[in-house]
Amino acid sequence: MLSGRRLALLPRGNVGVISVRNFLTGMYETMVGFVLQPFVLGFGGGVTLVGIMQALAGRVSGLVSALVQPFGGYLADVRGRRAVALLGSGFAIVAMALFVLAAIFQREPWALALVVPAFVSMALSLVASPALQSVIAESAEPARRVSAYATAIFFWVLPGAVLAIPGGVIADRLGYGAVFGIAFGFEAANLVLFWHFLRETATPGHIHPWRERLARSLRPPQEVRGLFVIVALDAFAWGLAAGIIYGLTASEFGFSNAQLGAIAASWSLFFAIFLPPTALFVNRFGLKRSILFSEFLGVPIMIGWLFSSRIEHFVLMGALNGLTAATWVPAVQTYVANWTTKERRAEVLGSLAAFRGLVAFPAPFLGGLLYDSLGYPAPLLANLVGAIATTAAIALLLRDPPQAGIETSSPRTRPP
């Protein structure tokens, strides 16, 4: 339980509530993130099976994850942010419960049948993502949105830096079920937190017919269409190797869960370290340059992974990997928030996630297939080429939004 003194260090209001939620989620999500792939390897099927699971329901580029977020944005706009946040937490609880059962009965031939709905439920929990991102944007002044997003993300990655290695040790000594059980407990705490403390920031609006809603989703505001292309290219490129890196390294180098935890801890640590200065960087150089810089870092990261073979190499590469995440995530979220109105913000965020996922969902499967067919360098080289192409697209397609953002509808901001 967080002490009163620690809570006093958090921002107040909804940003503080989401920061606490992110802290609780970070206590388990980093552990679950790196143990899931070796857990799936234990069922047989190689890295290709890991890729299939990630393609179906991975959090970044899974098909289910992509399809559920526009629906989540729709619900958040017409029913309110709080209800959708509670729904997402409920799905996460179901996912962890199913993973616990799958771990208990892993030696049974039918246990894989529990893993599939567990992955799907985990993906369905992302129904809350557009709502939570909108709450942050609507709870902060436009000039402070980067800081608000960075703060909320900081409290998500910070626990991972501390608990990733202990989580790997727990998985090695007590089994995967213990990790999933811990995750179940923390997500139950999130549900209670949202129920008691999250405040609504949107007035439920008119429920548009699904045909009209689909047409609006397929025609995002013109100002963010370039970002849609870039985020989709990025997710596809990074899904080829980075999205399955724990499965790749466990299969290629035989890393234990504790060693995978060290890689995850390095990423989380440097992600957290670089987040506080992100707002200053963005305010000085602009959102476009921040996104461009972040994507370009993919080039040395992939080259480093190509020539790495020891755990120390991957831990050291965590510094660059953390920096690219710290400069990407809050910048992209702020870019969307500043180019959209309150009435359409959750909708556009959901549409962005859907477009990204629909383009990128085959990438983890293709990466696993490349590895099983051609060996370790193949998915990394494909990821490297993709990162270079995405960097060029950012330079050509993006332009900075107004710093004050757009808060009300106008003819220029309505979809064509």
Side-chain angles (χ1 to χ4, degrees):
M1 197 69 167
L2 293 176
S3 68
R5 178 174 295 179
R6 289 180 182 175
L7 283 173
L9 298 176
L10 292 168
R12 296 183 179 183
N14 280 332
V15 176
V17 172
I18 294 175
S19 295
V20 174
R21 174 263 183 188
N22 285 356
F23 186 87
L24 294 172
T25 302
M27 296 281 279
Y28 77 82
E29 201 166 68
T30 300
M31 293 189 293
V32 170
F34 70 79
V35 303
L36 267 180
Q37 294 182 20
F39 175 61
V40 173
L41 283 174
F43 289 92
V47 180
T48 300
L49 179 62
V50 174
I52 290 173
M53 291 297 178
Q54 291 294 111
L56 172 67
R59 292 186 62 84
V60 176
S61 57
L63 181 60
V64 178
S65 309
L67 295 176
V68 75
Q69 292 190 65
F71 182 66
Y74 171 77
L75 285 180
D77 283 340
V78 301
R79 298 298 185 189
R81 317 309 196 200
R82 181 175 177 273
V84 182
L86 291 167
L87 179 64
S89 185
F91 276 123
I93 289 172
V94 171
M96 293 307 123
L98 289 171
F99 278 130
V100 169
L101 291 174
I104 292 173
F105 297 104
Q106 187 172 10
R107 295 185 181 277
E108 301 295 332
W110 49 263
L112 187 60
L114 294 172
V115 175
V116 175
F119 265 92
V120 171
S121 296
M122 187 172 64
L124 290 175
S125 72
L126 291 176
V127 70
S129 182
L132 294 176
Q133 291 181 46
S134 297
V135 168
I136 293 173
E138 292 152 10
S139 301
E141 295 295 326
R144 295 186 56 82
R145 278 180 182 152
V146 176
S147 296
Y149 280 124
T151 298
I153 297 166
F154 176 82
F155 283 100
W156 171 64
V157 298
L158 181 63
V162 178
L163 297 179
I165 296 177
V169 173
I170 290 172
D172 284 334
R173 296 185 179 181
L174 302 180
Y176 294 108
V179 174
F180 299 139
I182 292 170
F184 178 91
F186 280 118
E187 192 55 51
N190 281 337
L191 184 67
V192 174
L193 179 72
F194 282 158
W195 182 267
H196 287 287
F197 299 108
L198 190 66
R199 298 292 175 257
E200 187 57 68
T201 61
T203 302
H206 173 66
I207 302 177
H208 299 282
W210 272 107
R211 183 175 298 178
E212 178 184 343
R213 184 74 181 192
L214 178 61
R216 283 161 55 95
S217 297
L218 294 175
R219 293 188 303 169
Q222 184 175 358
E223 292 85 355
V224 297
R225 290 178 187 175
L227 184 72
F228 271 52
V229 174
I230 287 159
V231 168
L233 288 173
D234 169 83
F236 183 86
W238 287 72
L240 291 166
I244 56 172
I245 191 63
Y246 297 119
L248 288 174
T249 53
S251 178
E252 181 71 12
F253 306 116
F255 290 159
S256 68
N257 288 305
Q259 289 174 315
L260 296 178
I263 298 172
S266 175
W267 175 80
S268 296
L269 174 63
F270 286 99
F271 193 165
I273 288 173
F274 289 123
L275 267 173
T278 293
L280 296 175
F281 181 89
V282 172
N283 289 334
R284 180 169 182 178
F285 296 104
L287 291 167
K288 175 179 177 177
R289 291 184 180 180
S290 177
I291 295 170
L292 181 67
F293 174 73
S294 175
E295 187 66 36
F296 176 75
L297 288 175
V299 175
I301 289 171
M302 293 307 141
I303 293 174
W305 283 351
L306 271 169
F307 294 98
S308 297
S309 59
R310 298 173 57 182
I311 185 64
E312 299 93 324
H313 302 157
F314 286 92
V315 171
L316 287 173
M317 290 305 299
L320 279 181
N321 209 12
L323 178 58
T324 191
T327 49
W328 178 271
V329 178
V332 168
Q333 292 175 347
T334 305
Y335 190 98
V336 175
N338 282 9
W339 268 131
T340 54
T341 65
K342 184 176 181 179
E343 293 81 8
R344 291 199 65 189
R345 188 167 290 132
E347 171 194 326
V348 173
L349 287 166
S351 298
L352 175 64
F355 185 75
R356 174 187 65 203
L358 288 173
V359 171
F361 86 89
F365 166 70
L366 293 174
L369 197 61
L370 285 171
Y371 171 77
D372 287 335
S373 302
L374 302 175
Y376 178 72
L380 293 167
L381 287 170
N383 199 148
L384 174 61
V385 172
I388 294 171
T390 306
T391 301
I394 294 169
L396 293 172
L397 297 178
L398 278 197
R399 62 189 181 95
D400 281 314
Q403 289 187 349
I406 300 172
E407 294 303 312
T408 57
S409 296
S410 67
R412 189 174 67 84
T413 60
R414 294 192 189 110

